[in-house]
Amino acid sequence: MSASTVGSLPKAWVYRTPLYAVTVIVGACLLFLVQPLIAKIILPWFGGTSAVWSAALVFFQACVLGGYSYAHWLTTHISPRRQSLIHGTLLIVSCLMMPILPSESFRPEGGGDPALQILLLLTVTVGLPSLMLSATSPLLQVWYMRRTGSEPPYWLFAWSNAGSLLALLSFPLLLEPAFSSRALALGWSALFVVFAALCAGLAFLNSKQTVSQAADVTEPEFESKAVAPTVWRMMVWLLLSACASGLLVTVSANLSANVAPIPLLWVVPLALYLSTFILAFGNHRFYHPTWFFPLVALSLGGLAYLYINRLENWPIQYVVPGYLLSLFVICMACHGELVMRRPAGRYLTRFYLVISLGGVVGGAFVGLIAPVIFKTYVEFPLLVVLIAELYVILQWYRRGARRTQWLFRVVMILGVLTLMGELLRSEYQERRLSVLVQRNFYGVLSVQDDPTSFELARRYLIHGTISHGYQYLHEELRRLPSSYFSKHSGAGLALAALQSEGPVRMGVVGLGVGVMSGYVREGDYARFYEINPAVVDIADSYFTFLPAARKAGDVDVLLGDARLTLESQSPQGFDLLAIDAFSSDAIPTHLLTHEAFELYFKHLQPGGVLAVHISNRYIDLVPVCARSAEHVNRSARVVRSISDGTYDTSIWVLVTSNQPLLARPEFQNATTYEATAAPSFDGWTDQYSSVWPLMRLRGTAHAAEAK
């Protein structure tokens, strides 16, 4: 708001202006705190997969759309007095829904696609409060504009996004490391009641305005002559916001799927996305198409290059900044173009409504529709090409000589065609090399073969960018346990020691291609816990470990999240329980907490062995296992096996009280050492699981080899 505008306001309204700003900031903080908080709380219920965050993003984008729609309806069709009454009533109902702790009745049973169940859970738990928080910024902007007769207060929108950014950054860096999830949920609920009181106070002030006064202020001369936005203009608003939102969801999913589905990797892309709103709406001169155009072209090319070479598994310190910088530049361009096409104040809520609709369309396409209609992550290249085409259209008419203008247009067209050609070639190449490509809520699975002319030709199961096991194609090697589960691995050594004493009863969390079932002999029993039904079908149809094991011994597979399934079962009396439930390269943190280890040893024999596979490029999980082992009064020993060309390097932690077992001959030539943790590290619990202290951005030699 300009100084001249402030000077023309009644004195009382100059003092009340900060109240609007504070309410908007608090509402934005709460809206963007609840997103990572509630997603983290429900994450263990749905397998710890990054798709939970994608579904949550779509839900909260829908809440923003609902909030903006509500604000538009309320301010255009309802009198000021009734506006205040309706909004105040909904705020009171929202307060009655506190605290925001999801009901245990929403825990899933069995496998399948839980996307709709996640959306239902979020709707019941935080739906109405999120709707009220989403409506705050546009609603208060209209109330402020009507009371003061000022121009549209876009600065309130910028303050709203600043509050959102503050909340997002504070959650993983300050709040998550210091407080349990339950404490944060209770604190958030208490703060929401304070926000509701502030908003109710502003609603009361709005009710003092008569209908005639509202009409007079709403239609000043410069507004009454404003031309309504055309359908084409609103379509551009929709496409720009949809592209930015879709890119946010797909970049977030890509990052969290290949490291860990944790708030830190959720909020950084979202924080950058919001910062572009702040910069674009806070200062209209920040974005200029002329000098942003080459940055957008480089960013689109960079994203395409990263996508085409995603299986190269480059170091995280290069890949993550590349994705994030490209996301920032492209979202800045999209939102800058939006601001350049903003309408007059009388169409303010319509503008925000279309923007929020675009956000839902983009997010829903990537997070909900694409996993159903596409077999690969083809939405990523489609989105990159769509953004390139849209940006070219918007930059088609530029100032300059006619010859220069046409040269510029030809270069843009050639650039888009080159981008499309490279992405199409990459997609074709991936399909050609795959025996099978399949996708569901949990990600893309592909089966790929080496040429049979190779001496050690293999068939792989690829999930995301990571191999989840393989089997040799030549008959004489087909039964050989390989990958991270060789006879030299921690799990292989433990099984050999146990099987030397007689029949073994084992449980395995995570099926993969079924390599662990290759150890089953006559008299043994093996139970596999697998959350993804597609993995079971692939292990049965494209690999022979599991079918052969069913003939050799007693084997069964249970669908559903392993921890939830184990919680519902009576003690199973396993001699060995192996935990290998990585989703791409992401860590299901809920399977490594103190409470999880308590559950595991409930199902193990007194001298049984818990074998945890912790090979990871970016996070050192030895301290986590060490602390959880201490919690259950067991010792933990790291077993590291180095690849000899026929199997992969792997790192396992064996947790047991059976020390004589670890002293058997099978372990004498293995590389083992005690699992330890720094005194400052307390371990993970169901309420606390920060990976920040365990990150190793540059990785280590054994970590890089392990995956």
Side-chain angles (χ1 to χ4, degrees):
M1 185 172 59
S2 66
S4 60
T5 304
V6 173
S8 65
L9 293 178
K11 185 175 181 180
W13 279 99
V14 174
Y15 294 134
R16 289 171 186 167
T17 296
L19 182 59
Y20 279 78
V22 169
T23 306
V24 165
I25 291 172
V26 172
C29 282
L30 288 171
L31 180 60
F32 282 85
L33 274 177
V34 74
Q35 295 185 32
L37 174 58
I38 195 68
K40 182 181 179 182
I41 291 174
I42 68 172
L43 188 66
W45 295 6
F46 300 96
T49 175
S50 62
V52 174
W53 176 240
S54 297
L57 270 180
V58 174
F59 170 80
F60 285 107
Q61 286 170 336
C63 284
V64 171
L65 173 61
Y68 285 8
S69 302
Y70 163 74
H72 178 72
W73 168 78
L74 199 66
T75 55
T76 55
H77 296 88
I78 307 298
S79 67
R81 189 177 298 277
R82 289 186 177 179
Q83 288 176 29
S84 305
L85 180 62
I86 293 171
H87 197 64
T89 301
L90 291 177
L91 286 170
I92 293 173
V93 175
S94 298
C95 290
L96 296 177
M97 297 176 65
M98 301 296 114
I100 53 162
L101 293 170
S103 169
E104 294 287 325
S105 62
F106 284 104
R107 283 177 176 258
E109 297 180 2
D113 188 337
L116 293 179
Q117 191 170 358
I118 292 173
L119 297 178
L120 177 62
L121 184 157
L122 294 173
T123 300
V124 173
T125 307
V126 296
L128 184 58
S130 298
L131 193 72
M132 293 293 97
L133 292 169
S134 300
T136 300
S137 178
L139 188 59
L140 265 58
Q141 286 183 58
V142 173
W143 286 355
Y144 182 88
M145 185 171 59
R146 288 179 174 176
R147 291 293 294 183
T148 63
S150 66
E151 295 181 4
Y154 285 107
W155 54 271
L156 272 177
F157 187 70
W159 275 110
S160 171
N161 285 288
S164 305
L165 184 61
L166 174 65
L168 283 173
L169 295 179
S170 65
F171 185 84
L173 300 179
L174 298 176
L175 300 177
E176 186 191 19
F179 301 99
S180 69
S181 298
R182 180 178 178 82
L184 288 174
L186 295 175
W188 188 95
S189 302
L191 191 57
F192 180 85
V193 175
V194 174
F195 158 80
L198 287 172
C199 206
L202 291 175
F204 175 76
L205 292 175
N206 181 66
S207 69
K208 298 299 183 182
Q209 189 178 30
T210 65
V211 176
S212 59
Q213 287 173 333
D216 291 341
V217 176
T218 306
E219 297 289 348
E221 183 178 355
F222 68 89
E223 290 289 353
S224 60
K225 296 180 180 180
V227 179
T230 63
V231 173
W232 163 246
R233 194 178 186 187
M234 289 189 290
M235 183 60 67
V236 171
W237 295 347
L238 182 75
L239 287 173
L240 286 169
S241 57
C243 286
S245 171
L247 191 64
L248 165 68
V249 176
T250 192
V251 168
S252 300
N254 190 289
L255 291 178
S256 57
N258 293 316
V259 182
I262 56 173
L264 177 65
L265 293 175
W266 294 339
V267 303
V268 173
L270 186 53
L272 290 174
Y273 174 82
L274 286 174
S275 67
T276 63
F277 267 117
I278 296 170
L279 294 171
F281 283 82
N283 187 340
H284 303 159
R285 293 185 295 272
F286 185 87
Y287 170 78
H288 195 283
T290 300
W291 57 271
F292 245 90
F293 183 86
L295 296 178
V296 173
L298 287 173
S299 298
L300 290 170
L303 285 179
Y305 187 75
L306 288 171
Y307 176 79
I308 291 171
N309 296 280
R310 61 194 181 280
L311 296 180
E312 295 295 329
N313 289 324
W314 288 330
I316 187 175
Q317 66 267 28
Y318 304 125
V319 174
V320 172
Y323 273 112
L324 295 180
L325 184 59
S326 299
L327 175 69
F328 174 82
V329 170
I330 294 170
C331 288
M332 188 67 231
C334 290
H335 296 150
E337 293 288 339
L338 270 175
V339 171
M340 290 177 64
R341 291 163 176 77
R342 65 192 185 278
R346 67 182 301 188
Y347 303 108
L348 180 69
T349 54
R350 184 189 300 185
F351 179 56
Y352 289 140
L353 185 61
V354 175
I355 290 176
S356 62
L357 176 60
V360 173
V361 169
F365 171 73
V366 173
L368 299 179
I369 299 173
V372 176
I373 65 175
F374 297 138
K375 290 185 176 181
T376 65
Y377 293 117
V378 71
E379 69 272 12
F380 191 103
L382 282 177
L383 200 56
V384 169
V385 171
L386 175 61
I387 293 171
E389 292 175 343
L390 178 61
Y391 204 66
V392 164
I393 292 171
L394 296 179
Q395 304 305 316
W396 189 258
Y397 296 101
R398 293 170 61 104
R399 295 179 181 178
R402 184 177 181 85
R403 180 179 299 176
T404 304
Q405 190 180 64
W406 274 105
L407 177 62
F408 179 75
R409 291 174 179 175
V410 169
V411 171
M412 289 194 300
I413 292 172
L414 289 177
V416 172
L417 291 176
T418 302
L419 187 69
M420 291 175 61
E422 285 299 305
L423 290 170
L424 282 172
R425 182 191 61 80
S426 170
E427 188 69 18
Y428 170 76
Q429 186 77 358
E430 181 177 348
R431 297 292 184 97
R432 187 178 64 84
L433 294 175
S434 298
V435 177
L436 171 76
V437 179
Q438 192 169 339
R439 184 178 183 181
N440 60 14
F441 177 83
Y442 301 100
V444 174
L445 295 168
S446 64
V447 177
Q448 299 181 3
D449 286 353
D450 287 331
T452 53
S453 58
F454 288 7
E455 183 180 355
L456 296 177
R458 305 163 179 175
R459 170 167 287 182
Y460 299 84
L461 174 61
I462 307 295
H463 188 185
T465 62
I466 301 300
S467 167
H468 279 280
Y470 54 79
Q471 184 174 28
Y472 289 104
L473 293 175
H474 297 307
E475 191 61 38
E476 64 274 13
L477 299 174
R478 194 173 288 271
R479 288 279 293 171
L480 179 67
S482 55
S483 188
Y484 317 117
F485 318 99
S486 71
K487 294 180 179 179
H488 303 279
S489 67
L493 293 173
L495 265 175
L498 290 168
Q499 287 179 331
S500 66
E501 299 176 356
V504 169
R505 183 179 176 87
M506 70 171 172
V508 182
V509 175
L511 175 62
V513 304
V515 179
M516 288 290 290
S517 66
Y519 288 99
V520 174
R521 312 165 306 175
E522 185 177 354
D524 290 341
Y525 172 78
R527 171 174 290 166
F528 291 86
Y529 299 87
E530 175 57 51
I531 195 171
N532 190 345
V535 170
V536 181
D537 294 338
I538 290 173
D540 265 326
S541 304
Y542 291 88
F543 298 87
T544 64
F545 287 118
L546 193 58
R550 288 195 173 103
K551 296 177 181 177
D554 189 3
V555 178
D556 63 32
V557 179
L558 295 184
L559 273 175
D561 179 77
R563 183 163 168 186
L564 297 181
T565 305
L566 287 168
E567 286 175 353
S568 66
Q569 292 179 324
S570 58
Q572 297 299 299
F574 293 128
D575 298 298
L576 179 135
L577 180 58
I579 310 298
D580 176 58
F582 290 88
S583 182
S584 187
D585 210 23
I587 303 159
T589 53
H590 68 295
L591 296 180
L592 300 177
T593 63
H594 293 350
E595 294 86 349
F597 272 49
E598 289 177 3
L599 176 64
Y600 299 151
F601 279 95
K602 166 191 168 185
H603 291 283
L604 280 163
Q605 297 281 5
V609 179
L610 174 66
V612 186
H613 184 205
I614 63 166
S615 305
N616 192 273
R617 289 173 293 175
Y618 310 128
I619 300 174
D620 181 12
L621 296 171
V622 171
V624 179
C625 294
R627 286 287 181 252
S628 292
E630 290 176 6
H631 179 74
V632 293
N633 299 313
R634 303 295 199 282
S635 64
R637 195 146 195 89
V638 180
V639 179
R640 179 187 170 204
S641 60
I642 305 299
S643 172
D644 69 350
T646 62
Y647 57 86
D648 295 331
T649 294
S650 66
I651 306 171
W652 289 77
V653 176
L654 303 182
V655 183
T656 184
S657 60
N658 190 349
Q659 296 306 315
L661 183 76
L662 299 179
R664 289 184 59 86
E666 288 84 356
F667 290 92
Q668 298 311 303
N669 295 323
T671 302
T672 70
Y673 51 91
E674 183 182 359
T676 60
S680 59
F681 182 70
D682 295 327
W684 287 355
T685 68
D686 285 351
Q687 297 296 320
Y688 172 83
S689 56
S690 174
V691 303
W692 186 248
L694 309 172
M695 293 287 288
R696 48 188 181 205
L697 298 183
R698 293 188 177 275
T700 61
H702 67 267
E705 293 170 359
K707 279 288 183 183

